[in-house]
Amino acid sequence: MRVNWNYIKLACLSVSVIALYGFADHRGKQRKVSDISIKFVGDENLYLTEDAVNKLLIQNYGSLKNRDKEQLVLNTIEEVIRSNDMVKNAQVYLTVNGELISKIVQRKPIGRVEGVTKFYLDDLGKRMPLSRYHSARVPIITGKITGKSLEDAYVILNYINEDDFLRKNVIGIHIEEEGSYQLRFRMENFVVNLGGVDDLNTKFKNFMAFYAKASKDKSLEKYAIVSLEFNNQVVCTKI
């Protein structure tokens, strides 16, 4: 009977690979966490610090450094980090060297509510607490704060953030009442009566045309109120 050495070699090679994989897997499970790294993705403004994240992990798990990798449930650690009010998303993973890395995406404030209670409005239209580590430079929302008026303020803020000029110059939204909103600008003395949130594109297009002409005529300082609430018109009240 002729022996097929190629089959024997292939079988031996397969056994060796399986054995090496099993050995590596066993060694990997025995390896401990060598270090912990907290990384913030995107925004440089930190509403949450590395120390605060580490404290959150210690409160829930104790010290993770030198912990057996086999003891860690990464999905659970992610959920703990996401439970912080400043966190939008988190990804946790282990490197081959045993480093535990947490990549964190913070929530993004786009407006700050100054009412009976103070909080941010984030880019999803949800309430976000103020941070003790950093104060966001965003438009201030004042006036008659209700659930509906905040929804409208969110619509206005989203529009403002899509326009470079408005994003840099609008510093406040005052809520006269539901359906009546007033904008304050950084460098100008006048206020802009926006009315409701209907047809914002036309209203701001008309405003930009007015602003360009008044800037050219050097007459901006003459106005106290610029109203956009009337149908396709810009109505100005002089000082």
Side-chain angles (χ1 to χ4, degrees), residues 4-238:
N4 191 325
W5 291 104
N6 288 331
Y7 285 139
I8 294 175
K9 290 177 181 178
L10 182 61
C12 290
L13 180 61
S14 299
V15 171
S16 298
V17 169
I18 292 171
L20 286 172
Y21 177 80
F23 177 74
D25 184 58
H26 177 69
R27 288 290 300 273
K29 289 180 178 179
Q30 288 185 323
R31 185 170 290 174
K32 298 180 182 297
V33 175
S34 61
D35 198 7
I36 298 171
S37 178
I38 309 294
K39 299 180 180 180
F40 293 95
V41 180
D43 199 340
E44 294 180 358
N45 299 321
L46 296 184
Y47 306 103
L48 181 68
T49 65
E50 291 185 26
D51 287 343
V53 176
N54 281 322
K55 183 177 180 181
L56 180 65
L57 294 176
I58 289 172
Q59 286 174 342
N60 284 271
Y61 299 102
S63 177
L64 290 175
K65 195 169 183 179
N66 295 320
R67 183 79 65 85
D68 289 341
K69 290 167 58 177
E70 186 72 3
Q71 297 178 0
L72 301 182
V73 181
L74 301 184
N75 289 342
T76 303
I77 296 175
E78 288 177 348
E79 290 175 5
V80 168
I81 296 175
R82 289 193 196 107
S83 69
N84 186 280
D85 288 331
M86 300 298 173
V87 175
K88 185 174 185 178
N89 200 7
Q91 179 186 12
V92 178
Y93 60 92
L94 278 162
T95 67
V96 292
N97 296 323
E99 183 179 11
L100 182 70
I101 297 179
S102 300
K103 288 188 175 181
I104 298 173
V105 179
Q106 298 179 107
R107 295 173 68 185
K108 182 180 179 181
I110 60 173
R112 175 170 173 154
V113 175
E114 291 288 330
V116 177
T117 57
K118 305 179 191 301
F119 56 90
Y120 290 124
L121 201 62
D122 76 2
D123 59 346
L124 296 178
K126 298 180 180 179
R127 297 186 179 208
M128 172 182 171
L130 303 183
S131 169
R132 66 187 215 179
Y133 303 109
H134 180 78
S135 181
R137 296 184 63 182
V138 291
I140 304 298
I141 304 170
T142 57
K144 297 181 180 179
I145 307 296
T146 65
K148 179 60 170 65
S149 64
L150 280 182
E151 290 177 9
D152 287 350
Y154 173 67
V155 172
I156 297 168
L157 288 167
N158 269 337
Y159 190 97
I160 288 171
N161 284 328
E162 291 296 318
D163 184 275
D164 189 58
F165 173 82
L166 295 174
R167 185 175 63 253
K168 290 178 180 178
N169 288 281
V170 175
I171 60 171
I173 300 175
H174 182 70
I175 304 170
E176 296 283 301
E177 57 187 22
E178 287 185 10
S180 182
Y181 305 97
Q182 191 177 76
L183 305 183
R184 295 191 172 96
F185 280 70
R186 186 179 308 280
M187 300 299 293
E188 311 302 340
N189 292 323
F190 61 76
V191 296
V192 175
N193 283 343
L194 187 63
V197 295
D198 56 297
D199 205 8
L200 289 180
N201 192 53
T202 298
K203 288 179 178 179
F204 280 114
K205 182 179 179 180
N206 290 339
F207 172 76
M208 295 303 291
F210 153 79
Y211 192 91
K213 185 178 185 305
S215 294
K216 185 177 180 180
D217 297 341
K218 297 182 179 180
S219 60
L220 287 172
E221 67 278 3
K222 296 179 181 179
Y223 300 108
I225 300 172
V226 177
S227 181
L228 308 176
E229 55 192 323
F230 304 107
N231 186 31
N232 203 26
Q233 298 180 65
V234 177
V235 179
C236 300
T237 302
K238 291 187 176 181

